[in-house]
Amino acid sequence: MAEWAERLTGVRGVLLDISGVLCDSSASGATTIAGSVEAVARLKRSPLKVRFCTNESQKSLRELVGVLQQLGFDISEEEVTAPAPATCQILKERGLRPHLLIHEGVRSEFDDIDTSNPNCVVIADAGEAFSYQNMNRAFQVLMELENPVLISLGKGRYYKETSGLMLDVGGYMKALEYACGIKAEVVGKPSPEFFKSALQAIGLEAHQAIMIGDDIVGDVGGAQQCGMRALQVRTGKFRPRC
């Protein structure tokens, strides 16, 4: 206990991943991970600042928060840093008109975005929409651009649902990078800018916060590269040698 107390000295806030830490998703809904509702409640009763930091890109922010509230979590939309809203802000600021290769569940986030005559591609965890036809169309859009821009909502390798491990957006992002000879811009973990935006929302510096997640690369590695401390839970996608 003394060792842990020393490691956590100066911590004033916690960034919490959602999928694999608070709950596991499935085609029929979501289930809480044992003890997670109570853990969030205890954190919120403590002096620590709490922010939820997720790469979820199959649900809109409103739907995601609604699901978590139904599961019993004390959470609001204002407490969540998610990639779709952040991407929309970037698109508006830079005047980008995306070709969207995304899941239908998150499409409503882009309702106010001009998608005519695309000058970039936005890719997310599109699930069954990752067909050859759809991937090839995204490839064609990028190859037709003089200065191709590919924006990826996260770059995870895989995630866990109740039915097992599921391939994430990262593999498809890498395929487009390779085919087009470009480098994607990642909005989401492990992007330093994404972590910084979450920290700014709770008014803390990196050394004052700890990230808790199930992804050793996106959650733990990304947080540590930003100067944060990080802890990997043994739930979700956790694998002893991965």
Side-chain angles (χ1 to χ4, degrees):
M1 291 295 293
E3 182 181 357
W4 273 107
E6 183 177 346
R7 289 181 180 180
L8 296 176
T9 298
V11 169
R12 295 177 52 199
V14 178
L15 300 187
L16 286 173
D17 186 22
I18 292 176
S19 177
V21 176
L22 304 186
C23 63
D24 284 325
S25 299
S26 70
S28 59
T31 57
T32 59
I33 291 172
S36 57
V37 173
E38 295 80 5
V40 170
R42 288 181 63 186
L43 282 172
K44 287 200 159 189
R45 290 195 301 267
S46 77
L48 296 171
K49 296 182 178 181
V50 178
R51 184 81 181 170
F52 301 90
C53 190
T54 180
N55 274 0
E56 173 62 54
S57 62
Q58 286 197 352
K59 297 182 181 70
S60 68
L61 179 57
R62 176 176 295 180
E63 181 184 0
L64 173 63
V65 170
V67 168
L68 291 168
Q69 289 174 341
Q70 289 179 354
L71 291 174
F73 290 99
D74 177 8
I75 185 173
S76 65
E77 293 182 37
E78 293 73 23
E79 296 175 293
V80 183
T81 297
T87 298
C88 290
Q89 183 176 346
I90 290 170
L91 295 172
K92 291 176 180 179
E93 289 174 351
R94 293 166 57 180
L96 293 172
R97 303 178 304 277
H99 170 81
L100 297 171
L101 179 46
I102 61 176
H103 194 280
E104 283 303 313
V106 79
R107 192 169 294 275
S108 63
E109 296 278 17
F110 296 87
D111 283 349
D112 295 333
I113 299 297
D114 181 5
T115 57
S116 63
N117 190 24
N119 58 4
C120 73
V121 167
V122 169
I123 185 174
D125 180 11
E128 297 298 326
F130 277 134
S131 64
Y132 174 80
Q133 180 180 2
N134 289 342
M135 282 289 290
N136 196 53
R137 180 59 191 141
F139 162 74
Q140 291 172 336
V141 170
L142 289 167
M143 292 298 285
E144 290 167 1
L145 296 173
E146 182 177 352
N147 298 301
V149 175
L150 173 61
I151 297 176
S152 181
L153 276 64
K155 64 172 186 178
R157 296 179 296 164
Y158 57 88
Y159 57 93
K160 183 179 178 294
E161 289 193 348
T162 54
S163 59
L165 298 178
M166 310 294 287
L167 193 61
D168 205 348
V169 65
Y172 300 96
M173 179 198 82
K174 288 293 185 181
L176 289 174
E177 284 185 331
Y178 177 71
C180 300
I182 61 175
K183 189 73 172 176
E185 301 177 27
V186 177
V187 180
K189 299 172 292 185
S191 166
E193 292 305 316
F194 194 69
F195 280 113
K196 288 176 184 176
S197 68
L199 290 169
Q200 288 173 357
I202 54 176
L204 296 180
E205 299 293 330
H207 70 276
Q208 297 174 309
I210 184 169
M211 175 72 206
I212 299 176
D214 65 331
D215 189 328
I216 192 66
V217 176
D219 296 327
V220 175
Q224 289 176 338
Q225 288 180 355
C226 291
M228 296 170 56
R229 281 164 275 194
L231 185 151
Q232 185 185 23
V233 296
R234 292 176 175 256
T235 54
K237 71 168 70 173
F238 171 79
R239 309 277 283 178
R241 290 184 291 275
C242 294

